[in-house]
Amino acid sequence: MPAQSHDINAIRKFNRFYTNVIGLVNDHILHSPYSLAEVRVLYEVKHTRNCTARQIMRAVTIDEGYLSRILNRFVQRGFVKRTKSRRDRREYFLTLTKSGEAKFARLNDASSKSVQAMVKHLSPLELRQLLTKMDGIQHILSKERS
Amino acid sequence: MPAQSHDINAIRKFNRFYTNVIGLVNDHILHSPYSLAEVRVLYEVKHTRNCTARQIMRAVTIDEGYLSRILNRFVQRGFVKRTKSRRDRREYFLTLTKSGEAKFARLNDASSKSVQAMVKHLSPLELRQLLTKMDGIQHILSKERS
DNA sequence: AATAAATACTTGACAAAGTCAAGTATTTAT
DNA sequence: ATAAATACTTGACTTTGTCAAGTATTTATT
């Protein structure tokens, strides 16, 4: 169903708008000692069961070698622990150490604060509407492959 | 009005989701010989009246020196023309040359195609709903400073 | 079982992207 | 007239990201 160019333009306008929103929200990370990629990796390690480098690559689009080095740094700094898989000894399971958890928690709080700031002026109704619309967009765009 | 943490989490989830959407849509640019920053600069030169480097910096968050070099490259490749302002001889007005316009048009078409692909499977109703929700989000988040 | 192909990850060499601070020219404020 | 601010440039640098080759191990093929 080919959308009219004016619809496409509206979507592109939203994309530009939301790119800026995300930029503002991510600003605290840019001013932190970690890159966006690093934070996303930490997030995946935290939230993925039996996390391996492969799994992270599936979730985040990132170069294999680059990821390897990011993980090395995290291991060196003591945030992430690698344990060789028994089933397949090419791969490692990745977990957060205690201090990795703490580091993640701090980054996470900062991110939440940042999002909090973005909606703090909204009325309860507006907030509810915002959430509904976000949910709707995810719903519509998720069944992309039909 | 402090939002509940579960609302904040829902927004963050949407942010992650839409970061990926934007990533997919921008993929063609990543595989083009231009960087995202360069394309945004070209966009600003195209759409800003009496465009100067300063104006671009206002629209796009970008380092002054980096921008200067991007503009230099565009001038060298003949996409952008600098004309010294009479009113203030420190600044230059930036315009697209004929070939800059052509280059921009091609990048622009590719971006549209990319967005087109993202919604091509949607029914007319879904598309209409998507646009309404996008518009609503912009509306809600735009009156941020109240 | 032996060989080939595929997979998970690492490493070296490099290129691109982005940052920082100092410098030039010009304009505006004191 | 002098100082401060503004617009832009440049050099030196760091970070970020990419590419391709390499190692170890597992899976598929004959």
Side-chain angles (χ1 to χ4, degrees), chain B residues 126-140:
Chain B
E126 286 170 326
L127 179 60
R128 202 150 49 74
Q129 290 173 334
L130 180 68
L131 290 166
T132 305
K133 285 168 206 300
M134 286 177 165
D135 205 61
I137 289 179
Q138 281 178 87
H139 189 255
I140 292 172

Side-chain angles (χ1 to χ4, degrees), chain B residues 6 13 20 36-37 40 44 47 58 85 89 93 99 108-109 117 119 126:
Chain B
H6 102 271
K13 182 170 171 232
N20 283 330
L36 232 75
R40 295 191 79 187
E44 292 303 323
H47 289 95
R58 250 152 237 151
S85 162
R89 277 158 37 207
F93 290 119
S99 96
N108 204 50
D109 282 4
V119 297
E126 286 170 326

